[in-house]
Each structure stands twice: as structure tokens, then as C-alpha cells.
PDB file of all heavy atoms in Angstrom:
ATOM      1  N   VAL V 256     -43.060 -23.279  88.778  1.00  0.00           N
ATOM      2  CA  VAL V 256     -42.388 -22.227  89.550  1.00  0.00           C
ATOM      3  C   VAL V 256     -41.586 -22.856  90.688  1.00  0.00           C
ATOM      4  O   VAL V 256     -40.421 -22.509  90.927  1.00  0.00           O
ATOM      5  CB  VAL V 256     -43.414 -21.213  90.089  1.00  0.00           C
ATOM      6  CG1 VAL V 256     -42.765 -20.293  91.129  1.00  0.00           C
ATOM      7  CG2 VAL V 256     -44.014 -20.384  88.958  1.00  0.00           C
ATOM      8  N   ALA V 257     -42.187 -23.811  91.398  1.00  0.00           N
ATOM      9  CA  ALA V 257     -41.528 -24.433  92.547  1.00  0.00           C
ATOM     10  C   ALA V 257     -40.255 -25.174  92.147  1.00  0.00           C
ATOM     11  O   ALA V 257     -39.310 -25.281  92.945  1.00  0.00           O
ATOM     12  CB  ALA V 257     -42.493 -25.389  93.242  1.00  0.00           C
ATOM     13  N   SER V 258     -40.212 -25.659  90.915  1.00  0.00           N
ATOM     14  CA  SER V 258     -39.063 -26.449  90.480  1.00  0.00           C
ATOM     15  C   SER V 258     -37.764 -25.643  90.459  1.00  0.00           C
ATOM     16  O   SER V 258     -36.675 -26.213  90.516  1.00  0.00           O
ATOM     17  CB  SER V 258     -39.328 -27.042  89.094  1.00  0.00           C
ATOM     18  OG  SER V 258     -39.297 -26.035  88.083  1.00  0.00           O
ATOM     19  N   TYR V 259     -37.862 -24.322  90.413  1.00  0.00           N
ATOM     20  CA  TYR V 259     -36.668 -23.480  90.354  1.00  0.00           C
ATOM     21  C   TYR V 259     -36.128 -23.128  91.735  1.00  0.00           C
ATOM     22  O   TYR V 259     -35.032 -22.575  91.850  1.00  0.00           O
ATOM     23  CB  TYR V 259     -36.957 -22.204  89.573  1.00  0.00           C
ATOM     24  CG  TYR V 259     -37.244 -22.446  88.105  1.00  0.00           C
ATOM     25  CD1 TYR V 259     -38.521 -22.252  87.597  1.00  0.00           C
ATOM     26  CD2 TYR V 259     -36.247 -22.854  87.238  1.00  0.00           C
ATOM     27  CE1 TYR V 259     -38.792 -22.461  86.256  1.00  0.00           C
ATOM     28  CE2 TYR V 259     -36.500 -23.071  85.893  1.00  0.00           C
ATOM     29  CZ  TYR V 259     -37.781 -22.873  85.414  1.00  0.00           C
ATOM     30  OH  TYR V 259     -38.046 -23.085  84.085  1.00  0.00           O
ATOM     31  N   GLN V 260     -36.893 -23.384  92.767  1.00  0.00           N
ATOM     32  CA  GLN V 260     -36.458 -23.180  94.155  1.00  0.00           C
ATOM     33  C   GLN V 260     -35.976 -21.752  94.408  1.00  0.00           C
ATOM     34  O   GLN V 260     -34.927 -21.531  95.037  1.00  0.00           O
ATOM     35  CB  GLN V 260     -35.373 -24.196  94.525  1.00  0.00           C
ATOM     36  CG  GLN V 260     -35.832 -25.638  94.377  1.00  0.00           C
ATOM     37  CD  GLN V 260     -34.744 -26.644  94.731  1.00  0.00           C
ATOM     38  OE1 GLN V 260     -33.609 -26.280  95.019  1.00  0.00           O
ATOM     39  NE2 GLN V 260     -35.090 -27.917  94.699  1.00  0.00           N
ATOM     40  N   ALA V 261     -36.718 -20.784  93.931  1.00  0.00           N
ATOM     41  CA  ALA V 261     -36.383 -19.372  94.127  1.00  0.00           C
ATOM     42  C   ALA V 261     -37.331 -18.750  95.144  1.00  0.00           C
ATOM     43  O   ALA V 261     -38.440 -19.252  95.386  1.00  0.00           O
ATOM     44  CB  ALA V 261     -36.455 -18.619  92.811  1.00  0.00           C
ATOM     45  N   HIS V 262     -36.894 -17.653  95.721  1.00  0.00           N
ATOM     46  CA  HIS V 262     -37.723 -16.960  96.725  1.00  0.00           C
ATOM     47  C   HIS V 262     -38.617 -15.904  96.084  1.00  0.00           C
ATOM     48  O   HIS V 262     -39.713 -15.635  96.566  1.00  0.00           O
ATOM     49  CB  HIS V 262     -36.811 -16.304  97.758  1.00  0.00           C
ATOM     50  CG  HIS V 262     -37.541 -15.548  98.818  1.00  0.00           C
ATOM     51  ND1 HIS V 262     -38.393 -16.149  99.723  1.00  0.00           N
ATOM     52  CD2 HIS V 262     -37.568 -14.219  99.107  1.00  0.00           C
ATOM     53  CE1 HIS V 262     -38.892 -15.240 100.540  1.00  0.00           C
ATOM     54  NE2 HIS V 262     -38.420 -14.067 100.184  1.00  0.00           N
ATOM     55  N   TYR V 263     -38.155 -15.307  94.987  1.00  0.00           N
ATOM     56  CA  TYR V 263     -38.881 -14.214  94.337  1.00  0.00           C
ATOM     57  C   TYR V 263     -39.564 -14.707  93.068  1.00  0.00           C
ATOM     58  O   TYR V 263     -38.986 -15.467  92.287  1.00  0.00           O
ATOM     59  CB  TYR V 263     -37.923 -13.073  93.977  1.00  0.00           C
ATOM     60  CG  TYR V 263     -37.320 -12.392  95.177  1.00  0.00           C
ATOM     61  CD1 TYR V 263     -36.095 -12.809  95.693  1.00  0.00           C
ATOM     62  CD2 TYR V 263     -37.974 -11.337  95.812  1.00  0.00           C
ATOM     63  CE1 TYR V 263     -35.542 -12.197  96.804  1.00  0.00           C
ATOM     64  CE2 TYR V 263     -37.429 -10.720  96.924  1.00  0.00           C
ATOM     65  CZ  TYR V 263     -36.210 -11.152  97.417  1.00  0.00           C
ATOM     66  OH  TYR V 263     -35.663 -10.544  98.522  1.00  0.00           O
ATOM     67  N   VAL V 264     -40.795 -14.251  92.871  1.00  0.00           N
ATOM     68  CA  VAL V 264     -41.550 -14.569  91.652  1.00  0.00           C
ATOM     69  C   VAL V 264     -42.124 -13.269  91.098  1.00  0.00           C
ATOM     70  O   VAL V 264     -42.734 -12.485  91.839  1.00  0.00           O
ATOM     71  CB  VAL V 264     -42.690 -15.567  91.916  1.00  0.00           C
ATOM     72  CG1 VAL V 264     -43.453 -15.852  90.623  1.00  0.00           C
ATOM     73  CG2 VAL V 264     -42.161 -16.861  92.520  1.00  0.00           C
ATOM     74  N   THR V 265     -41.930 -13.047  89.801  1.00  0.00           N
ATOM     75  CA  THR V 265     -42.508 -11.888  89.125  1.00  0.00           C
ATOM     76  C   THR V 265     -43.504 -12.365  88.075  1.00  0.00           C
ATOM     77  O   THR V 265     -43.160 -13.180  87.215  1.00  0.00           O
ATOM     78  CB  THR V 265     -41.413 -11.045  88.447  1.00  0.00           C
ATOM     79  OG1 THR V 265     -40.586 -10.453  89.451  1.00  0.00           O
ATOM     80  CG2 THR V 265     -42.026  -9.936  87.596  1.00  0.00           C
ATOM     81  N   VAL V 266     -44.717 -11.855  88.160  1.00  0.00           N
ATOM     82  CA  VAL V 266     -45.744 -12.129  87.156  1.00  0.00           C
ATOM     83  C   VAL V 266     -45.769 -10.936  86.209  1.00  0.00           C
ATOM     84  O   VAL V 266     -45.961  -9.789  86.631  1.00  0.00           O
ATOM     85  CB  VAL V 266     -47.115 -12.358  87.800  1.00  0.00           C
ATOM     86  CG1 VAL V 266     -48.186 -12.582  86.737  1.00  0.00           C
ATOM     87  CG2 VAL V 266     -47.053 -13.564  88.755  1.00  0.00           C
ATOM     88  N   THR V 267     -45.557 -11.207  84.926  1.00  0.00           N
ATOM     89  CA  THR V 267     -45.369 -10.140  83.960  1.00  0.00           C
ATOM     90  C   THR V 267     -46.063 -10.495  82.656  1.00  0.00           C
ATOM     91  O   THR V 267     -46.846 -11.424  82.584  1.00  0.00           O
ATOM     92  CB  THR V 267     -43.847  -9.875  83.770  1.00  0.00           C
ATOM     93  OG1 THR V 267     -43.663  -8.738  82.931  1.00  0.00           O
ATOM     94  CG2 THR V 267     -43.131 -11.082  83.213  1.00  0.00           C
ATOM     95  N   GLY V 268     -45.794  -9.735  81.602  1.00  0.00           N
ATOM     96  CA  GLY V 268     -46.440  -9.978  80.326  1.00  0.00           C
ATOM     97  C   GLY V 268     -45.581  -9.482  79.180  1.00  0.00           C
ATOM     98  O   GLY V 268     -44.359  -9.432  79.309  1.00  0.00           O
ATOM     99  N   GLY V 269     -46.226  -8.998  78.121  1.00  0.00           N
ATOM    100  CA  GLY V 269     -47.631  -8.653  78.006  1.00  0.00           C
ATOM    101  C   GLY V 269     -48.146  -7.801  79.161  1.00  0.00           C
ATOM    102  O   GLY V 269     -47.419  -7.146  79.870  1.00  0.00           O
ATOM    103  N   GLU V 270     -49.437  -7.867  79.298  1.00  0.00           N
ATOM    104  CA  GLU V 270     -50.127  -7.241  80.423  1.00  0.00           C
ATOM    105  C   GLU V 270     -50.839  -8.349  81.190  1.00  0.00           C
ATOM    106  O   GLU V 270     -51.894  -8.830  80.764  1.00  0.00           O
ATOM    107  CB  GLU V 270     -51.114  -6.186  79.942  1.00  0.00           C
ATOM    108  CG  GLU V 270     -52.078  -5.678  81.002  1.00  0.00           C
ATOM    109  CD  GLU V 270     -51.377  -5.268  82.297  1.00  0.00           C
ATOM    110  OE1 GLU V 270     -50.639  -4.267  82.267  1.00  0.00           O
ATOM    111  OE2 GLU V 270     -51.575  -5.952  83.322  1.00  0.00           O
ATOM    112  N   PRO V 271     -50.282  -8.790  82.312  1.00  0.00           N
ATOM    113  CA  PRO V 271     -50.851  -9.945  83.017  1.00  0.00           C
ATOM    114  C   PRO V 271     -52.291  -9.752  83.472  1.00  0.00           C
ATOM    115  O   PRO V 271     -53.068 -10.707  83.475  1.00  0.00           O
ATOM    116  CB  PRO V 271     -49.895 -10.149  84.193  1.00  0.00           C
ATOM    117  CG  PRO V 271     -49.122  -8.883  84.320  1.00  0.00           C
ATOM    118  CD  PRO V 271     -49.043  -8.300  82.952  1.00  0.00           C
ATOM    119  N   LEU V 272     -52.663  -8.530  83.839  1.00  0.00           N
ATOM    120  CA  LEU V 272     -54.015  -8.309  84.345  1.00  0.00           C
ATOM    121  C   LEU V 272     -55.077  -8.392  83.250  1.00  0.00           C
ATOM    122  O   LEU V 272     -56.274  -8.366  83.547  1.00  0.00           O
ATOM    123  CB  LEU V 272     -54.097  -6.961  85.057  1.00  0.00           C
ATOM    124  CG  LEU V 272     -53.322  -6.874  86.380  1.00  0.00           C
ATOM    125  CD1 LEU V 272     -53.406  -5.471  86.951  1.00  0.00           C
ATOM    126  CD2 LEU V 272     -53.829  -7.898  87.385  1.00  0.00           C
ATOM    127  N   ALA V 273     -54.655  -8.516  81.996  1.00  0.00           N
ATOM    128  CA  ALA V 273     -55.622  -8.708  80.911  1.00  0.00           C
ATOM    129  C   ALA V 273     -56.284 -10.082  81.006  1.00  0.00           C
ATOM    130  O   ALA V 273     -57.320 -10.310  80.376  1.00  0.00           O
ATOM    131  CB  ALA V 273     -54.940  -8.531  79.557  1.00  0.00           C
ATOM    132  N   GLN V 274     -55.678 -10.993  81.761  1.00  0.00           N
ATOM    133  CA  GLN V 274     -56.288 -12.301  82.003  1.00  0.00           C
ATOM    134  C   GLN V 274     -56.876 -12.311  83.415  1.00  0.00           C
ATOM    135  O   GLN V 274     -56.152 -12.105  84.393  1.00  0.00           O
ATOM    136  CB  GLN V 274     -55.250 -13.424  81.851  1.00  0.00           C
ATOM    137  CG  GLN V 274     -54.696 -13.560  80.448  1.00  0.00           C
ATOM    138  CD  GLN V 274     -53.867 -14.819  80.275  1.00  0.00           C
ATOM    139  OE1 GLN V 274     -54.276 -15.906  80.683  1.00  0.00           O
ATOM    140  NE2 GLN V 274     -52.706 -14.687  79.646  1.00  0.00           N
ATOM    141  N   LYS V 275     -58.174 -12.554  83.516  1.00  0.00           N
ATOM    142  CA  LYS V 275     -58.852 -12.435  84.813  1.00  0.00           C
ATOM    143  C   LYS V 275     -58.298 -13.396  85.854  1.00  0.00           C
ATOM    144  O   LYS V 275     -58.313 -13.092  87.061  1.00  0.00           O
ATOM    145  CB  LYS V 275     -60.357 -12.639  84.643  1.00  0.00           C
ATOM    146  CG  LYS V 275     -60.759 -14.017  84.159  1.00  0.00           C
ATOM    147  CD  LYS V 275     -62.280 -14.138  84.043  1.00  0.00           C
ATOM    148  CE  LYS V 275     -62.699 -15.540  83.601  1.00  0.00           C
ATOM    149  NZ  LYS V 275     -64.183 -15.663  83.505  1.00  0.00           N
ATOM    150  N   ASN V 276     -57.806 -14.554  85.431  1.00  0.00           N
ATOM    151  CA  ASN V 276     -57.288 -15.522  86.394  1.00  0.00           C
ATOM    152  C   ASN V 276     -55.913 -15.145  86.931  1.00  0.00           C
ATOM    153  O   ASN V 276     -55.369 -15.848  87.790  1.00  0.00           O
ATOM    154  CB  ASN V 276     -57.238 -16.915  85.772  1.00  0.00           C
ATOM    155  CG  ASN V 276     -58.616 -17.536  85.647  1.00  0.00           C
ATOM    156  OD1 ASN V 276     -59.535 -17.182  86.387  1.00  0.00           O
ATOM    157  ND2 ASN V 276     -58.773 -18.451  84.713  1.00  0.00           N
ATOM    158  N   CYS V 277     -55.359 -14.034  86.459  1.00  0.00           N
ATOM    159  CA  CYS V 277     -54.099 -13.541  87.005  1.00  0.00           C
ATOM    160  C   CYS V 277     -54.227 -13.269  88.501  1.00  0.00           C
ATOM    161  O   CYS V 277     -53.302 -13.522  89.274  1.00  0.00           O
ATOM    162  CB  CYS V 277     -53.663 -12.278  86.269  1.00  0.00           C
ATOM    163  SG  CYS V 277     -52.150 -11.531  86.907  1.00  0.00           S
ATOM    164  N   LEU V 278     -55.377 -12.772  88.922  1.00  0.00           N
ATOM    165  CA  LEU V 278     -55.569 -12.453  90.340  1.00  0.00           C
ATOM    166  C   LEU V 278     -55.458 -13.704  91.202  1.00  0.00           C
ATOM    167  O   LEU V 278     -54.838 -13.682  92.274  1.00  0.00           O
ATOM    168  CB  LEU V 278     -56.928 -11.777  90.554  1.00  0.00           C
ATOM    169  CG  LEU V 278     -57.128 -10.436  89.840  1.00  0.00           C
ATOM    170  CD1 LEU V 278     -58.531  -9.908  90.109  1.00  0.00           C
ATOM    171  CD2 LEU V 278     -56.080  -9.420  90.276  1.00  0.00           C
ATOM    172  N   ALA V 279     -56.027 -14.809  90.728  1.00  0.00           N
ATOM    173  CA  ALA V 279     -55.934 -16.066  91.470  1.00  0.00           C
ATOM    174  C   ALA V 279     -54.497 -16.571  91.503  1.00  0.00           C
ATOM    175  O   ALA V 279     -54.033 -17.100  92.525  1.00  0.00           O
ATOM    176  CB  ALA V 279     -56.845 -17.114  90.840  1.00  0.00           C
ATOM    177  N   LEU V 280     -53.782 -16.420  90.393  1.00  0.00           N
ATOM    178  CA  LEU V 280     -52.382 -16.830  90.348  1.00  0.00           C
ATOM    179  C   LEU V 280     -51.561 -16.051  91.370  1.00  0.00           C
ATOM    180  O   LEU V 280     -50.755 -16.636  92.114  1.00  0.00           O
ATOM    181  CB  LEU V 280     -51.824 -16.605  88.942  1.00  0.00           C
ATOM    182  CG  LEU V 280     -50.316 -16.809  88.769  1.00  0.00           C
ATOM    183  CD1 LEU V 280     -49.926 -18.248  89.073  1.00  0.00           C
ATOM    184  CD2 LEU V 280     -49.873 -16.417  87.363  1.00  0.00           C
ATOM    185  N   LEU V 281     -51.745 -14.753  91.425  1.00  0.00           N
ATOM    186  CA  LEU V 281     -50.995 -13.918  92.370  1.00  0.00           C
ATOM    187  C   LEU V 281     -51.239 -14.362  93.806  1.00  0.00           C
ATOM    188  O   LEU V 281     -50.295 -14.529  94.593  1.00  0.00           O
ATOM    189  CB  LEU V 281     -51.384 -12.448  92.196  1.00  0.00           C
ATOM    190  CG  LEU V 281     -50.973 -11.783  90.884  1.00  0.00           C
ATOM    191  CD1 LEU V 281     -51.662 -10.436  90.723  1.00  0.00           C
ATOM    192  CD2 LEU V 281     -49.453 -11.605  90.808  1.00  0.00           C
ATOM    193  N   SER V 282     -52.494 -14.568  94.160  1.00  0.00           N
ATOM    194  CA  SER V 282     -52.822 -14.974  95.530  1.00  0.00           C
ATOM    195  C   SER V 282     -52.261 -16.354  95.849  1.00  0.00           C
ATOM    196  O   SER V 282     -51.749 -16.588  96.955  1.00  0.00           O
ATOM    197  CB  SER V 282     -54.343 -14.965  95.735  1.00  0.00           C
ATOM    198  OG  SER V 282     -54.848 -13.645  95.687  1.00  0.00           O
ATOM    199  N   THR V 283     -52.341 -17.268  94.895  1.00  0.00           N
ATOM    200  CA  THR V 283     -51.821 -18.621  95.117  1.00  0.00           C
ATOM    201  C   THR V 283     -50.316 -18.594  95.342  1.00  0.00           C
ATOM    202  O   THR V 283     -49.790 -19.289  96.231  1.00  0.00           O
ATOM    203  CB  THR V 283     -52.160 -19.526  93.924  1.00  0.00           C
ATOM    204  OG1 THR V 283     -53.583 -19.590  93.774  1.00  0.00           O
ATOM    205  CG2 THR V 283     -51.627 -20.935  94.132  1.00  0.00           C
ATOM    206  N   LEU V 284     -49.594 -17.814  94.565  1.00  0.00           N
ATOM    207  CA  LEU V 284     -48.149 -17.708  94.742  1.00  0.00           C
ATOM    208  C   LEU V 284     -47.804 -17.108  96.108  1.00  0.00           C
ATOM    209  O   LEU V 284     -46.862 -17.556  96.780  1.00  0.00           O
ATOM    210  CB  LEU V 284     -47.541 -16.870  93.621  1.00  0.00           C
ATOM    211  CG  LEU V 284     -47.566 -17.503  92.230  1.00  0.00           C
ATOM    212  CD1 LEU V 284     -47.167 -16.488  91.166  1.00  0.00           C
ATOM    213  CD2 LEU V 284     -46.643 -18.721  92.165  1.00  0.00           C
ATOM    214  N   CYS V 285     -48.571 -16.117  96.531  1.00  0.00           N
ATOM    215  CA  CYS V 285     -48.358 -15.548  97.871  1.00  0.00           C
ATOM    216  C   CYS V 285     -48.604 -16.612  98.943  1.00  0.00           C
ATOM    217  O   CYS V 285     -47.845 -16.709  99.920  1.00  0.00           O
ATOM    218  CB  CYS V 285     -49.279 -14.352  98.096  1.00  0.00           C
ATOM    219  SG  CYS V 285     -48.853 -12.864  97.160  1.00  0.00           S
ATOM    220  N   ASP V 286     -49.657 -17.404  98.763  1.00  0.00           N
ATOM    221  CA  ASP V 286     -49.977 -18.462  99.726  1.00  0.00           C
ATOM    222  C   ASP V 286     -48.843 -19.473  99.840  1.00  0.00           C
ATOM    223  O   ASP V 286     -48.660 -20.101 100.895  1.00  0.00           O
ATOM    224  CB  ASP V 286     -51.255 -19.192  99.321  1.00  0.00           C
ATOM    225  CG  ASP V 286     -52.509 -18.340  99.462  1.00  0.00           C
ATOM    226  OD1 ASP V 286     -52.451 -17.311 100.168  1.00  0.00           O
ATOM    227  OD2 ASP V 286     -53.535 -18.706  98.848  1.00  0.00           O
TER     228      ASP V 286
END
């Protein structure tokens, strides 16, 4: 994600919340 040097990130799918680790990904990207 960082390699693209963008300000906005969208997590999508499919249905992203079907994977439990999606929550950790969202928080990490916010961090």
C-alpha cells in the first residue's frame, strides 16, 4: 500500500469483514 504513495485507502472485497483479520488491517492502516 505504501509503495503507491496515496492518501486514501479503501478496503473492499468480496466482503472484507468475512476475514477476521480485516479489523487488524483497518486499524493498522489508520495508524
Side-chain angles (χ1 to χ4, degrees):
V256 168
S258 71
Y259 294 111
Q260 301 179 356
H262 179 64
Y263 294 93
V264 179
T265 293
V266 178
T267 186
E270 168 49 68
L272 291 177
Q274 296 190 47
K275 64 179 182 179
N276 286 335
C277 177
L278 298 178
L280 172 63
L281 293 168
S282 292
T283 300
L284 291 170
C285 288
D286 291 343

